[in-house]
Amino acid sequence: MRVLIIEDHERLGTTLKEVLTDKGYAVDWVSDGEAGLFHGQEYDYDVAVIDLGLPKIDGVEVIKQLRSQGKTYPILILTARGNWQDKVVGLEAGADDYLVKPFVNEELLARLNALLRRSAGMSSPEISIGPIQLNTARKEVKVHGQVAELTSYEYNCLEYLVLNRDKVISKLKLTEHLYDQDFDRDSNVIEVFIGRLRKKIDPDNDIKPILTVRGQGYRINDDLCV
């Protein structure tokens, strides 16, 4: 998943980027509201983490402008302001959830995971695609009850397809949501991941969970989503 972090505290911003990158997110971090608004307008994100107390443009205004321009991805507020009025202002601006500083990384990850599930119309961290089960909280995949040994990028590729299972996802879109901005987007690495995924979760080619749509990309097999 691709996440935008708008946080002006350098140590916290660095820590958040490291934590989320370690969990397989593609992370863009900027340190002021002006740069954050630009990124939020110009790039396609799955979720944003926005501090309220930002220089140049405050976080509430950033959220308002993103929502007014039709950006619908979930937004999690970070705030050092503990009173309920500030939380309400942020939520009314268009945020989906908030987290008060200081916080533990596990809670941040759990809240982001929940926001991503809800935005995909899924309430449970456990998602079934035929005999394949994903647990988005544990980042685990089982096939016929047995754990499939996937690399983090293989898992992230599968999770993104599953969370967007009503869509055809192009190689370019997958690349943008799995890697940082400076990744070589002409690479055929997505084809490699899809090939490896198919071998690991469908070695006998009888489930066919990931379909290729010629000239467009990949999608999850609708027949398994019942």
Side-chain angles (χ1 to χ4, degrees):
M1 299 293 147
R2 189 171 196 85
V3 58
L4 171 64
I5 299 173
I6 313 176
E7 169 58 59
D8 64 320
H9 190 285
E10 184 172 357
R11 189 165 77 176
L12 178 56
T14 300
T15 298
L16 288 175
K17 182 167 184 177
E18 290 174 350
V19 168
L20 292 173
T21 299
D22 184 61
K23 293 297 181 180
Y25 288 87
V27 181
D28 297 330
W29 166 42
V30 294
S31 58
D32 65 73
E34 187 175 87
L37 182 59
F38 173 80
H39 276 71
Q41 292 168 334
E42 296 298 319
Y43 300 104
D44 188 15
Y45 292 100
D46 297 294
V47 64
V49 179
I50 302 178
D51 184 26
L52 290 185
L54 294 170
K56 297 188 178 180
I57 304 176
D58 69 64
V60 169
E61 184 61 27
V62 170
I63 295 167
K64 286 181 178 178
Q65 291 197 37
L66 290 175
R67 293 307 193 216
S68 71
Q69 294 173 24
K71 300 300 181 181
T72 60
Y73 46 76
I75 294 175
L76 174 68
I77 291 172
L78 294 184
T79 178
R81 308 166 186 172
N83 66 73
W84 64 266
Q85 291 95 335
D86 288 320
K87 299 170 188 175
V88 168
V89 168
L91 293 171
E92 289 184 341
D96 300 277
D97 198 359
Y98 65 86
L99 197 55
V100 177
K101 302 176 184 176
F103 54 84
V104 295
N105 295 329
E106 289 77 9
E107 183 177 6
L108 171 72
L109 292 166
R111 287 178 180 269
L112 289 181
N113 195 27
L115 287 175
L116 289 167
R117 289 199 314 271
R118 289 203 297 269
S119 70
M122 302 172 189
S123 58
S124 171
E126 296 184 355
I127 305 168
S128 294
I129 304 295
I132 301 169
Q133 291 84 40
L134 276 78
N135 188 302
T136 61
R138 294 200 299 265
K139 303 296 182 182
E140 180 183 78
V141 176
K142 291 183 178 180
V143 183
H144 296 295
Q146 300 298 313
V147 175
E149 299 296 336
L150 304 182
T151 68
S152 60
Y153 281 117
E154 289 166 356
Y155 172 84
N156 293 336
C157 186
L158 178 61
E159 182 186 74
Y160 188 75
L161 289 171
V162 169
L163 290 178
N164 293 275
R165 59 189 184 184
D166 59 337
K167 305 172 185 175
V168 177
I169 306 297
S170 68
K171 286 198 300 180
L172 176 59
K173 195 171 187 69
L174 271 175
T175 302
E176 289 175 339
H177 285 260
L178 294 176
Y179 293 99
D180 294 330
Q181 290 181 15
D182 57 356
F183 183 77
D184 179 6
R185 295 184 180 180
D186 293 328
S187 172
N188 290 319
V189 71
I190 296 299
E191 291 182 4
V192 175
F193 284 159
I194 294 294
R196 292 199 320 225
L197 265 174
R198 285 170 168 158
K199 290 180 181 178
K200 290 183 177 182
I201 64 178
D202 186 22
D204 298 323
N205 196 34
D206 56 359
I207 304 173
K208 296 180 174 59
I210 302 172
L211 303 180
T212 299
V213 181
R214 187 179 296 276
Q216 297 182 52
Y218 306 99
R219 68 173 176 84
I220 292 296
N221 189 342
D222 290 338
D223 294 339
L224 300 176
C225 301
V226 293

